[in-house]
Amino acid sequence: AYREAIRLNPRDPLAFFSAGLAFKQLKSYPEAIEMLRRAAELDPKNRQVMRQLATVSAMELVRGPA
């Protein structure tokens, strides 16, 4: 669903944010970071996006290399 939303509207930060949260729940941190970074690029003043990006980045650091 998120891929389709992104395909239909690649400038929608909410679509990337939602995809990032979904990847976070799946513990697919590299993919979550990629989606959240794109959301941050599209909406750089969104604190919620920045907070989630920081959280997921920290989780990836703690997890270490796969």
Side-chain angles (χ1 to χ4, degrees):
Y2 296 117
R3 291 178 203 264
E4 183 66 11
I6 290 168
R7 187 184 71 74
L8 291 173
N9 191 0
R11 305 266 324 138
D12 181 10
L14 182 58
F16 287 96
F17 180 70
S18 298
L21 293 181
F23 281 120
K24 177 185 171 190
Q25 290 290 6
L26 295 171
K27 297 186 175 162
S28 297
Y29 301 129
E31 292 86 355
I33 290 169
E34 180 182 340
M35 294 294 119
L36 292 168
R37 278 188 181 148
R38 184 66 181 131
E41 289 172 6
L42 294 170
D43 190 3
K45 294 183 180 181
N46 187 322
R47 290 183 183 162
Q48 190 175 13
V49 170
M50 298 303 183
R51 214 174 0 255
Q52 286 296 328
L53 179 55
T55 299
V56 174
S57 296
M59 294 167 94
E60 176 67 2
L61 284 174
V62 169
R63 184 178 77 163

